[in-house]
Amino acid sequence: MRRAAVALAVVALAAPWLAQAQGTQGPTPVRVGVVGPFTGPSADFGVPMLNGIKLAVDEINAVGGYMGRPLELIVKDDMADPARGRQAAQELLSEKVSAVLGFCNTGVALKALDLFQQSKTPLIVPCATGTAVTSTYPAPESYIFRVQGRDALQAPLMVEEIIKRGWDKVAIFADTTGYGEGGYKDVVDALAAKNLKPVHVSRFPLGVKDLTAELAAARNAGANVIYSYTVGPENAVIANGKKAMGWKVTQVGPWTLSFPFFLDGAKDAAEGALTVQTFIAEPSNERRASFLSGYTRKYQRKPAVPMAAANAYDATYLLMYSFLGIRDGNLTGPAIKDSLEGKMKPYYGVLTTYDRPFSAADKDAITRNMLIVGMVKNGAVTFAYPEDAKRNLIVQRKQ
């Protein structure tokens, strides 16, 4: 049995009185909300997020849940639409969930954050990377937590990689969503910190099918690398466009370059692309091997976006561990927030060992040392450097 499951089992067995108090109807479930894009243009990473959550909940419930109470997921599909995401958040809050896991799209998350903050309902974000997600509210007051590397960490890491490889003329291609807007700003700021400016900038809406003119302008500006910040098939449009032009420059970007939209949509045009990752699907230790085998066994396939599944799996356990820090069974928003910020026991997770992952001053569980540069090879993402593969054998804790 996994270490996390053993720890949960001990706590569950410590409260046999609860099931008796509930009578023959059984214990009252703990309702946990889930919101994300499970259909529509972002489902390729929304579904792995949901699957990671479900896998964790199945394991937690198998050993007794929270003090004998099973976790019950209330799932809402935001379809990657900000208006629908806000409606989904309102629906979850009306159903009296104790906390919420979710959001893959930064623009969708930003549209709904105020609802969680005002209702004092903790939200843990496993996917959306926009820096503003956890900086919109002052940290000590914020009910918004995240288990993902924010763009303000991803962009500087990739800019350092660009400089390391001798590329000094950067073209930025970013969509006009909240995600693209925030990412564009983070890349520009990261370049400025190294006394660089982009030689070309292209902004475009989601759904664009042809960026040939913009790519030609970037090439004419002397760009020797393309930094793309978009969430969907537009990444493949860029890769396929430069291939059609015979322009052999490397495409780099955030974790979205690990999505099927890019890997399958660009195929050989994606080869060599560099992407920032929190998790690469290789069984480098017992915990990661257990997660990957458990996911494949449950869903009969590997996760389409391993990061989304692993981040969400860990986020679910962190929420559960916050519940375990509340011994009186009163799972109010402020009590969960207080537990997340310092009362939890360490959790041996997939991405890392979480020992005080959050605090009153810091709502992001992932720090820069935990990020990895991945490279697309043969249609999948692997380590860009052999030394990173070796470093990954040692769990990188929060700094």
Side-chain angles (χ1 to χ4, degrees), residues 229-277:
Y229 237 99
T230 185
V231 73
E234 299 76 25
N235 274 320
V237 171
I238 294 167
N240 289 327
K242 67 184 182 67
K243 177 186 175 183
M245 295 167 54
W247 188 25
K248 297 181 179 180
V249 293
T250 301
Q251 186 172 345
V252 307
W255 76 303
T256 54
L257 292 184
S258 67
F259 290 8
F261 268 139
F262 181 63
L263 300 179
D264 298 339
K267 294 185 171 60
D268 62 321
E271 286 293 297
L274 301 174
T275 174
V276 180
Q277 302 281 283

Side-chain angles (χ1 to χ4, degrees), residues 2 10 25 42 98-99 126 141 174 197 238 278 338 351:
R2 299 172 182 172
V10 170
Q25 294 182 347
S42 294
S98 295
E141 301 153 24
K197 292 182 179 180
I238 294 167
T278 58
D338 189 46
L351 271 60

Side-chain angles (χ1 to χ4, degrees), residues 279 285 287-288 291 310 313-314 347-352 354 395:
F279 173 71
N285 63 30
R287 191 70 176 111
R288 292 167 188 155
F291 164 73
Y313 178 90
D314 277 1
Y347 163 56
Y348 177 55
V350 177
L351 271 60
T352 184
Y354 300 87
V395 173

Side-chain angles (χ1 to χ4, degrees), residues 152-227:
L153 296 180
Q154 292 196 39
L157 178 67
M158 188 54 73
V159 166
E160 287 191 1
E161 181 69 16
I162 287 170
I163 292 171
K164 178 180 178 180
R165 291 174 179 261
W167 300 323
D168 57 354
K169 294 179 175 61
V170 183
I172 301 176
F173 280 65
D175 67 39
T176 52
T177 65
Y179 173 70
E181 187 64 37
Y184 166 71
K185 181 182 183 302
D186 285 327
V187 172
V188 170
D189 289 348
L191 288 171
K194 300 295 184 180
N195 298 314
L196 292 174
K197 292 182 179 180
V199 298
H200 174 82
V201 172
S202 176
R203 306 300 306 277
F204 50 86
L206 292 183
V208 66
K209 304 297 184 184
D210 186 0
L211 289 167
T212 302
E214 290 82 355
L215 288 165
R219 181 172 61 181
N220 293 338
N224 52 17
V225 63
I226 293 176
Y227 202 135

Side-chain angles (χ1 to χ4, degrees), residues 84 94 151 347 361:
R84 172 58 195 150
S94 72
D151 289 332
Y347 163 56

Side-chain angles (χ1 to χ4, degrees), residues 304-341:
V305 181
M307 265 183 70
N311 290 5
Y313 178 90
D314 277 1
T316 307
Y317 266 102
L318 288 175
L319 178 60
M320 182 61 197
Y321 270 55
S322 76
F323 292 168
L324 297 178
I326 303 170
R327 296 309 178 101
D328 63 2
N330 190 17
L331 300 180
T332 65
I336 296 169
K337 175 180 181 292
D338 189 46
S339 187
L340 283 167
E341 292 174 351

